Amino acid sequence: MTAPPLRAALIAAAAGGVLGSLARFGLTEWFEVGTGFPWTGFAINVAGSALLAGLAGIAAVRRTPWLGVFLGTGVLGGFTTMSAASAETVVLLERDQDLTALLYAAGTLLAALVAVWLVDRWVGPAERAAAEDAGVDE
């Protein structure tokens, strides 16, 4: 697979980014309550990381150059932002919830890495190799 033309890649990434960030915003507005552990942000980051790892298992992503950019860089990049996790950690620190902030920051990273590892095992070596050959990981 060849890389998408620059214009198509930029449009795909921008359109996907809008959708992903709107989805994140909507979920955090709908589900965030109280001043405790930010479960919504945690779940978004872990789920988004797992979904990003699973893109290699989708044949359409391997065949269509702009689809990986749209879904990966765009939608999931806008949906799963570790900068938002950092901001949530800072808010917890400002509220003097130091232990919660530490658990949130470390837990988000650890859970996201475990989710990626699990999905990577599920996708399997044949799909990973096909994705690498197609240039999905670039």
Side-chain angles (χ1 to χ4, degrees):
M1 176 175 76
T2 60
L6 180 59
R7 184 176 309 215
L10 288 173
I11 291 169
V18 167
L19 294 175
S21 33
L22 285 174
R24 182 185 187 95
F25 175 77
L27 287 170
T28 55
E29 287 295 307
W30 185 266
F31 289 108
E32 280 303 316
V33 292
T35 59
F37 193 87
W39 287 107
T40 304
F42 178 83
I44 287 170
N45 287 325
V46 174
S49 297
L51 290 169
L52 190 56
L55 284 182
I58 302 172
V61 170
R62 296 191 306 264
R63 287 190 309 264
T64 311
W66 60 267
L67 188 56
V69 175
F70 173 76
L71 292 173
T73 305
V75 174
L76 294 173
F79 184 68
T80 307
T81 59
M82 289 307 196
S83 61
S86 299
E88 290 164 340
T89 302
V90 168
V91 168
L92 290 169
L93 290 170
E94 289 173 347
R95 293 181 186 157
D96 292 325
Q97 295 176 304
D98 296 350
L99 180 58
T100 304
L102 176 65
L103 291 172
Y104 178 71
T108 299
L109 179 60
L110 181 62
L113 289 172
V114 168
V116 167
W117 180 80
L118 288 171
V119 170
D120 187 57
R121 296 292 142 252
W122 173 71
V123 168
E127 288 85 2
R128 281 194 306 276
E132 290 172 11
D133 290 344
V136 172
D137 63 337
E138 295 177 357

mmCIF file of all heavy atoms in Angstrom, residues 47-93:
data_model
loop_
_atom_site.group_PDB
_atom_site.id
_atom_site.type_symbol
_atom_site.label_atom_id
_atom_site.label_comp_id
_atom_site.label_asym_id
_atom_site.label_seq_id
_atom_site.Cartn_x
_atom_site.Cartn_y
_atom_site.Cartn_z
ATOM 1 N N ALA A 47 -9.570 2.464 26.526
ATOM 2 C CA ALA A 47 -10.307 1.938 25.368
ATOM 3 C C ALA A 47 -9.711 2.454 24.061
ATOM 4 O O ALA A 47 -9.548 1.691 23.100
ATOM 5 C CB ALA A 47 -11.774 2.330 25.469
ATOM 6 N N GLY A 48 -9.375 3.726 24.023
ATOM 7 C CA GLY A 48 -8.787 4.296 22.810
ATOM 8 C C GLY A 48 -7.444 3.677 22.474
ATOM 9 O O GLY A 48 -7.139 3.418 21.302
ATOM 10 N N SER A 49 -6.638 3.403 23.483
ATOM 11 C CA SER A 49 -5.351 2.748 23.255
ATOM 12 C C SER A 49 -5.544 1.347 22.707
ATOM 13 O O SER A 49 -4.852 0.922 21.772
ATOM 14 C CB SER A 49 -4.542 2.691 24.560
ATOM 15 O OG SER A 49 -4.235 3.987 25.007
ATOM 16 N N ALA A 50 -6.514 0.629 23.258
ATOM 17 C CA ALA A 50 -6.804 -0.724 22.776
ATOM 18 C C ALA A 50 -7.314 -0.688 21.334
ATOM 19 O O ALA A 50 -6.887 -1.494 20.493
ATOM 20 C CB ALA A 50 -7.830 -1.400 23.687
ATOM 21 N N LEU A 51 -8.199 0.237 21.033
ATOM 22 C CA LEU A 51 -8.715 0.352 19.674
ATOM 23 C C LEU A 51 -7.614 0.708 18.682
ATOM 24 O O LEU A 51 -7.568 0.182 17.567
ATOM 25 C CB LEU A 51 -9.832 1.400 19.621
ATOM 26 C CG LEU A 51 -11.130 1.007 20.321
ATOM 27 C CD1 LEU A 51 -12.061 2.214 20.442
ATOM 28 C CD2 LEU A 51 -11.807 -0.136 19.576
ATOM 29 N N LEU A 52 -6.731 1.584 19.086
ATOM 30 C CA LEU A 52 -5.610 1.953 18.219
ATOM 31 C C LEU A 52 -4.724 0.750 17.933
ATOM 32 O O LEU A 52 -4.292 0.535 16.796
ATOM 33 C CB LEU A 52 -4.804 3.085 18.873
ATOM 34 C CG LEU A 52 -3.750 3.760 18.029
ATOM 35 C CD1 LEU A 52 -4.340 4.313 16.748
ATOM 36 C CD2 LEU A 52 -3.101 4.877 18.815
ATOM 37 N N ALA A 53 -4.482 -0.064 18.943
ATOM 38 C CA ALA A 53 -3.676 -1.272 18.751
ATOM 39 C C ALA A 53 -4.383 -2.260 17.833
ATOM 40 O O ALA A 53 -3.733 -3.030 17.117
ATOM 41 C CB ALA A 53 -3.376 -1.927 20.098
ATOM 42 N N GLY A 54 -5.703 -2.247 17.815
ATOM 43 C CA GLY A 54 -6.462 -3.186 17.001
ATOM 44 C C GLY A 54 -6.604 -2.802 15.541
ATOM 45 O O GLY A 54 -7.072 -3.613 14.730
ATOM 46 N N LEU A 55 -6.194 -1.596 15.180
ATOM 47 C CA LEU A 55 -6.333 -1.177 13.787
ATOM 48 C C LEU A 55 -5.615 -2.111 12.818
ATOM 49 O O LEU A 55 -6.078 -2.317 11.696
ATOM 50 C CB LEU A 55 -5.826 0.251 13.595
ATOM 51 C CG LEU A 55 -6.729 1.368 14.088
ATOM 52 C CD1 LEU A 55 -6.107 2.716 13.794
ATOM 53 C CD2 LEU A 55 -8.111 1.276 13.486
ATOM 54 N N ALA A 56 -4.499 -2.674 13.246
ATOM 55 C CA ALA A 56 -3.754 -3.580 12.365
ATOM 56 C C ALA A 56 -4.559 -4.816 12.003
ATOM 57 O O ALA A 56 -4.310 -5.442 10.965
ATOM 58 C CB ALA A 56 -2.445 -4.001 13.032
ATOM 59 N N GLY A 57 -5.529 -5.165 12.800
ATOM 60 C CA GLY A 57 -6.351 -6.343 12.538
ATOM 61 C C GLY A 57 -7.507 -6.096 11.589
ATOM 62 O O GLY A 57 -8.228 -7.019 11.239
ATOM 63 N N ILE A 58 -7.682 -4.867 11.142
ATOM 64 C CA ILE A 58 -8.792 -4.532 10.244
ATOM 65 C C ILE A 58 -8.273 -4.486 8.815
ATOM 66 O O ILE A 58 -7.466 -3.634 8.456
ATOM 67 C CB ILE A 58 -9.431 -3.190 10.648
ATOM 68 C CG1 ILE A 58 -9.927 -3.258 12.096
ATOM 69 C CG2 ILE A 58 -10.554 -2.820 9.689
ATOM 70 C CD1 ILE A 58 -10.386 -1.927 12.647
ATOM 71 N N ALA A 59 -8.752 -5.410 8.003
ATOM 72 C CA ALA A 59 -8.271 -5.520 6.620
ATOM 73 C C ALA A 59 -8.505 -4.232 5.827
ATOM 74 O O ALA A 59 -7.654 -3.828 5.027
ATOM 75 C CB ALA A 59 -8.936 -6.701 5.931
ATOM 76 N N ALA A 60 -9.622 -3.565 6.051
ATOM 77 C CA ALA A 60 -9.921 -2.337 5.304
ATOM 78 C C ALA A 60 -8.882 -1.255 5.587
ATOM 79 O O ALA A 60 -8.534 -0.469 4.694
ATOM 80 C CB ALA A 60 -11.313 -1.835 5.651
ATOM 81 N N VAL A 61 -8.362 -1.220 6.792
ATOM 82 C CA VAL A 61 -7.328 -0.240 7.136
ATOM 83 C C VAL A 61 -6.036 -0.552 6.382
ATOM 84 O O VAL A 61 -5.333 0.349 5.937
ATOM 85 C CB VAL A 61 -7.092 -0.216 8.663
ATOM 86 C CG1 VAL A 61 -5.870 0.609 9.027
ATOM 87 C CG2 VAL A 61 -8.324 0.312 9.376
ATOM 88 N N ARG A 62 -5.764 -1.834 6.219
ATOM 89 C CA ARG A 62 -4.551 -2.225 5.498
ATOM 90 C C ARG A 62 -4.674 -1.952 3.999
ATOM 91 O O ARG A 62 -3.677 -1.739 3.332
ATOM 92 C CB ARG A 62 -4.239 -3.699 5.748
ATOM 93 C CG ARG A 62 -3.907 -3.999 7.200
ATOM 94 C CD ARG A 62 -3.346 -5.384 7.402
ATOM 95 N NE ARG A 62 -4.166 -6.446 6.879
ATOM 96 C CZ ARG A 62 -5.044 -7.161 7.594
ATOM 97 N NH1 ARG A 62 -5.210 -6.889 8.876
ATOM 98 N NH2 ARG A 62 -5.740 -8.123 7.045
ATOM 99 N N ARG A 63 -5.891 -1.968 3.470
ATOM 100 C CA ARG A 63 -6.093 -1.776 2.031
ATOM 101 C C ARG A 63 -6.303 -0.326 1.620
ATOM 102 O O ARG A 63 -6.072 0.031 0.476
ATOM 103 C CB ARG A 63 -7.313 -2.573 1.563
ATOM 104 C CG ARG A 63 -7.121 -4.045 1.493
ATOM 105 C CD ARG A 63 -8.294 -4.710 0.792
ATOM 106 N NE ARG A 63 -9.580 -4.297 1.341
ATOM 107 C CZ ARG A 63 -10.264 -4.973 2.261
ATOM 108 N NH1 ARG A 63 -9.788 -6.094 2.743
ATOM 109 N NH2 ARG A 63 -11.423 -4.524 2.707
ATOM 110 N N THR A 64 -6.793 0.505 2.531
ATOM 111 C CA THR A 64 -7.186 1.873 2.185
ATOM 112 C C THR A 64 -6.249 2.860 2.880
ATOM 113 O O THR A 64 -6.320 3.029 4.092
ATOM 114 C CB THR A 64 -8.645 2.132 2.632
ATOM 115 O OG1 THR A 64 -9.450 1.059 2.159
ATOM 116 C CG2 THR A 64 -9.161 3.432 2.094
ATOM 117 N N PRO A 65 -5.381 3.534 2.113
ATOM 118 C CA PRO A 65 -4.340 4.375 2.727
ATOM 119 C C PRO A 65 -4.854 5.447 3.682
ATOM 120 O O PRO A 65 -4.299 5.646 4.743
ATOM 121 C CB PRO A 65 -3.653 5.019 1.522
ATOM 122 C CG PRO A 65 -3.966 4.150 0.366
ATOM 123 C CD PRO A 65 -5.282 3.518 0.656
ATOM 124 N N TRP A 66 -5.944 6.116 3.337
ATOM 125 C CA TRP A 66 -6.395 7.222 4.178
ATOM 126 C C TRP A 66 -7.199 6.754 5.391
ATOM 127 O O TRP A 66 -7.368 7.498 6.350
ATOM 128 C CB TRP A 66 -7.224 8.217 3.359
ATOM 129 C CG TRP A 66 -8.449 7.604 2.750
ATOM 130 C CD1 TRP A 66 -8.550 7.057 1.501
ATOM 131 C CD2 TRP A 66 -9.721 7.446 3.365
ATOM 132 N NE1 TRP A 66 -9.816 6.567 1.299
ATOM 133 C CE2 TRP A 66 -10.559 6.789 2.439
ATOM 134 C CE3 TRP A 66 -10.248 7.771 4.606
ATOM 135 C CZ2 TRP A 66 -11.882 6.468 2.716
ATOM 136 C CZ3 TRP A 66 -11.567 7.451 4.884
ATOM 137 C CH2 TRP A 66 -12.368 6.814 3.947
ATOM 138 N N LEU A 67 -7.708 5.517 5.370
ATOM 139 C CA LEU A 67 -8.558 5.043 6.462
ATOM 140 C C LEU A 67 -7.784 4.911 7.775
ATOM 141 O O LEU A 67 -8.290 5.274 8.842
ATOM 142 C CB LEU A 67 -9.217 3.713 6.092
ATOM 143 C CG LEU A 67 -10.283 3.201 7.050
ATOM 144 C CD1 LEU A 67 -11.387 4.230 7.252
ATOM 145 C CD2 LEU A 67 -10.858 1.893 6.533
ATOM 146 N N GLY A 68 -6.556 4.418 7.703
ATOM 147 C CA GLY A 68 -5.728 4.339 8.909
ATOM 148 C C GLY A 68 -5.424 5.705 9.489
ATOM 149 O O GLY A 68 -5.414 5.893 10.713
ATOM 150 N N VAL A 69 -5.202 6.683 8.608
ATOM 151 C CA VAL A 69 -4.950 8.054 9.066
ATOM 152 C C VAL A 69 -6.215 8.627 9.707
ATOM 153 O O VAL A 69 -6.162 9.247 10.766
ATOM 154 C CB VAL A 69 -4.476 8.943 7.889
ATOM 155 C CG1 VAL A 69 -4.331 10.385 8.322
ATOM 156 C CG2 VAL A 69 -3.169 8.417 7.320
ATOM 157 N N PHE A 70 -7.357 8.385 9.070
ATOM 158 C CA PHE A 70 -8.630 8.882 9.601
ATOM 159 C C PHE A 70 -8.932 8.277 10.968
ATOM 160 O O PHE A 70 -9.223 8.995 11.927
ATOM 161 C CB PHE A 70 -9.763 8.571 8.612
ATOM 162 C CG PHE A 70 -11.128 8.888 9.140
ATOM 163 C CD1 PHE A 70 -11.564 10.198 9.210
ATOM 164 C CD2 PHE A 70 -11.976 7.879 9.572
ATOM 165 C CE1 PHE A 70 -12.836 10.499 9.703
ATOM 166 C CE2 PHE A 70 -13.239 8.168 10.060
ATOM 167 C CZ PHE A 70 -13.671 9.486 10.126
ATOM 168 N N LEU A 71 -8.855 6.934 11.051
ATOM 169 C CA LEU A 71 -9.213 6.258 12.304
ATOM 170 C C LEU A 71 -8.133 6.384 13.374
ATOM 171 O O LEU A 71 -8.446 6.630 14.540
ATOM 172 C CB LEU A 71 -9.499 4.778 12.036
ATOM 173 C CG LEU A 71 -10.745 4.477 11.210
ATOM 174 C CD1 LEU A 71 -10.810 2.988 10.890
ATOM 175 C CD2 LEU A 71 -11.988 4.935 11.930
ATOM 176 N N GLY A 72 -6.878 6.190 12.991
ATOM 177 C CA GLY A 72 -5.789 6.182 13.969
ATOM 178 C C GLY A 72 -5.379 7.570 14.409
ATOM 179 O O GLY A 72 -5.610 7.976 15.558
ATOM 180 N N THR A 73 -4.766 8.308 13.489
ATOM 181 C CA THR A 73 -4.300 9.659 13.816
ATOM 182 C C THR A 73 -5.465 10.577 14.144
ATOM 183 O O THR A 73 -5.395 11.357 15.091
ATOM 184 C CB THR A 73 -3.505 10.237 12.630
ATOM 185 O OG1 THR A 73 -2.456 9.331 12.295
ATOM 186 C CG2 THR A 73 -2.932 11.589 12.951
ATOM 187 N N GLY A 74 -6.551 10.450 13.360
ATOM 188 C CA GLY A 74 -7.679 11.347 13.532
ATOM 189 C C GLY A 74 -8.588 10.992 14.687
ATOM 190 O O GLY A 74 -8.495 11.567 15.771
ATOM 191 N N VAL A 75 -9.463 10.024 14.468
ATOM 192 C CA VAL A 75 -10.495 9.703 15.466
ATOM 193 C C VAL A 75 -9.875 9.300 16.806
ATOM 194 O O VAL A 75 -10.175 9.890 17.850
ATOM 195 C CB VAL A 75 -11.436 8.592 14.950
ATOM 196 C CG1 VAL A 75 -12.402 8.163 16.033
ATOM 197 C CG2 VAL A 75 -12.207 9.056 13.719
ATOM 198 N N LEU A 76 -9.012 8.288 16.781
ATOM 199 C CA LEU A 76 -8.464 7.807 18.054
ATOM 200 C C LEU A 76 -7.422 8.754 18.631
ATOM 201 O O LEU A 76 -7.258 8.826 19.849
ATOM 202 C CB LEU A 76 -7.912 6.395 17.879
ATOM 203 C CG LEU A 76 -9.001 5.363 17.560
ATOM 204 C CD1 LEU A 76 -8.387 4.018 17.219
ATOM 205 C CD2 LEU A 76 -9.987 5.251 18.699
ATOM 206 N N GLY A 77 -6.743 9.508 17.774
ATOM 207 C CA GLY A 77 -5.825 10.532 18.283
ATOM 208 C C GLY A 77 -6.560 11.636 19.012
ATOM 209 O O GLY A 77 -6.117 12.129 20.044
ATOM 210 N N GLY A 78 -7.716 12.029 18.478
ATOM 211 C CA GLY A 78 -8.529 13.043 19.145
ATOM 212 C C GLY A 78 -9.257 12.507 20.358
ATOM 213 O O GLY A 78 -9.503 13.211 21.327
ATOM 214 N N PHE A 79 -9.617 11.230 20.307
ATOM 215 C CA PHE A 79 -10.358 10.593 21.397
ATOM 216 C C PHE A 79 -9.451 10.282 22.576
ATOM 217 O O PHE A 79 -9.777 10.571 23.724
ATOM 218 C CB PHE A 79 -11.007 9.310 20.855
ATOM 219 C CG PHE A 79 -11.892 8.600 21.839
ATOM 220 C CD1 PHE A 79 -13.081 9.164 22.257
ATOM 221 C CD2 PHE A 79 -11.551 7.351 22.305
ATOM 222 C CE1 PHE A 79 -13.918 8.505 23.140
ATOM 223 C CE2 PHE A 79 -12.380 6.678 23.190
ATOM 224 C CZ PHE A 79 -13.560 7.258 23.610
ATOM 225 N N THR A 80 -8.305 9.697 22.284
ATOM 226 C CA THR A 80 -7.382 9.256 23.321
ATOM 227 C C THR A 80 -6.223 10.238 23.395
ATOM 228 O O THR A 80 -5.274 10.110 22.654
ATOM 229 C CB THR A 80 -6.843 7.852 23.003
ATOM 230 O OG1 THR A 80 -7.944 7.006 22.782
ATOM 231 C CG2 THR A 80 -5.990 7.310 24.113
ATOM 232 N N THR A 81 -6.313 11.193 24.261
ATOM 233 C CA THR A 81 -5.236 12.175 24.379
ATOM 234 C C THR A 81 -4.627 12.080 25.764
ATOM 235 O O THR A 81 -5.306 12.283 26.769
ATOM 236 C CB THR A 81 -5.758 13.604 24.141
ATOM 237 O OG1 THR A 81 -6.779 13.875 25.094
ATOM 238 C CG2 THR A 81 -6.315 13.771 22.753
ATOM 239 N N MET A 82 -3.369 11.740 25.800
ATOM 240 C CA MET A 82 -2.704 11.676 27.098
ATOM 241 C C MET A 82 -2.509 13.073 27.675
ATOM 242 O O MET A 82 -2.319 13.221 28.876
ATOM 243 C CB MET A 82 -1.374 10.927 26.981
ATOM 244 C CG MET A 82 -1.579 9.440 26.764
ATOM 245 S SD MET A 82 -2.662 8.733 28.027
ATOM 246 C CE MET A 82 -2.325 7.025 27.823
ATOM 247 N N SER A 83 -2.601 14.112 26.841
ATOM 248 C CA SER A 83 -2.530 15.466 27.398
ATOM 249 C C SER A 83 -3.751 15.728 28.280
ATOM 250 O O SER A 83 -3.648 16.422 29.292
ATOM 251 C CB SER A 83 -2.441 16.502 26.278
ATOM 252 O OG SER A 83 -3.580 16.443 25.452
ATOM 253 N N ALA A 84 -4.897 15.150 27.912
ATOM 254 C CA ALA A 84 -6.076 15.290 28.775
ATOM 255 C C ALA A 84 -5.860 14.545 30.085
ATOM 256 O O ALA A 84 -6.288 15.001 31.145
ATOM 257 C CB ALA A 84 -7.324 14.768 28.057
ATOM 258 N N ALA A 85 -5.188 13.395 30.019
ATOM 259 C CA ALA A 85 -4.871 12.664 31.251
ATOM 260 C C ALA A 85 -3.952 13.501 32.129
ATOM 261 O O ALA A 85 -4.108 13.533 33.359
ATOM 262 C CB ALA A 85 -4.235 11.317 30.926
ATOM 263 N N SER A 86 -3.013 14.190 31.503
ATOM 264 C CA SER A 86 -2.123 15.069 32.270
ATOM 265 C C SER A 86 -2.911 16.201 32.913
ATOM 266 O O SER A 86 -2.679 16.539 34.081
ATOM 267 C CB SER A 86 -1.039 15.654 31.358
ATOM 268 O OG SER A 86 -0.265 14.633 30.809
ATOM 269 N N ALA A 87 -3.829 16.777 32.166
ATOM 270 C CA ALA A 87 -4.646 17.867 32.709
ATOM 271 C C ALA A 87 -5.508 17.381 33.871
ATOM 272 O O ALA A 87 -5.654 18.079 34.881
ATOM 273 C CB ALA A 87 -5.511 18.463 31.605
ATOM 274 N N GLU A 88 -6.064 16.184 33.728
ATOM 275 C CA GLU A 88 -6.879 15.636 34.812
ATOM 276 C C GLU A 88 -6.021 15.380 36.054
ATOM 277 O O GLU A 88 -6.470 15.582 37.174
ATOM 278 C CB GLU A 88 -7.579 14.360 34.348
ATOM 279 C CG GLU A 88 -8.663 14.640 33.319
ATOM 280 C CD GLU A 88 -9.130 13.417 32.552
ATOM 281 O OE1 GLU A 88 -8.402 12.412 32.509
ATOM 282 O OE2 GLU A 88 -10.232 13.479 31.987
ATOM 283 N N THR A 89 -4.796 14.949 35.839
ATOM 284 C CA THR A 89 -3.871 14.735 36.953
ATOM 285 C C THR A 89 -3.570 16.052 37.658
ATOM 286 O O THR A 89 -3.562 16.123 38.891
ATOM 287 C CB THR A 89 -2.566 14.076 36.454
ATOM 288 O OG1 THR A 89 -2.890 12.850 35.810
ATOM 289 C CG2 THR A 89 -1.610 13.826 37.595
ATOM 290 N N VAL A 90 -3.350 17.103 36.875
ATOM 291 C CA VAL A 90 -3.071 18.418 37.455
ATOM 292 C C VAL A 90 -4.264 18.904 38.273
ATOM 293 O O VAL A 90 -4.103 19.442 39.369
ATOM 294 C CB VAL A 90 -2.692 19.432 36.352
ATOM 295 C CG1 VAL A 90 -2.676 20.853 36.883
ATOM 296 C CG2 VAL A 90 -1.344 19.070 35.745
ATOM 297 N N VAL A 91 -5.468 18.717 37.767
ATOM 298 C CA VAL A 91 -6.672 19.123 38.503
ATOM 299 C C VAL A 91 -6.735 18.396 39.842
ATOM 300 O O VAL A 91 -7.031 18.999 40.883
ATOM 301 C CB VAL A 91 -7.946 18.862 37.665
ATOM 302 C CG1 VAL A 91 -9.201 19.004 38.513
ATOM 303 C CG2 VAL A 91 -7.993 19.796 36.473
ATOM 304 N N LEU A 92 -6.447 17.104 39.829
ATOM 305 C CA LEU A 92 -6.448 16.344 41.088
ATOM 306 C C LEU A 92 -5.389 16.882 42.051
ATOM 307 O O LEU A 92 -5.641 17.002 43.259
ATOM 308 C CB LEU A 92 -6.206 14.861 40.809
ATOM 309 C CG LEU A 92 -7.353 14.135 40.104
ATOM 310 C CD1 LEU A 92 -6.903 12.758 39.633
ATOM 311 C CD2 LEU A 92 -8.562 14.024 41.021
ATOM 312 N N LEU A 93 -4.213 17.212 41.537
ATOM 313 C CA LEU A 93 -3.159 17.776 42.386
ATOM 314 C C LEU A 93 -3.579 19.130 42.963
ATOM 315 O O LEU A 93 -3.311 19.420 44.129
ATOM 316 C CB LEU A 93 -1.856 17.907 41.607
ATOM 317 C CG LEU A 93 -1.160 16.602 41.251
ATOM 318 C CD1 LEU A 93 -0.010 16.842 40.283
ATOM 319 C CD2 LEU A 93 -0.665 15.898 42.515
#
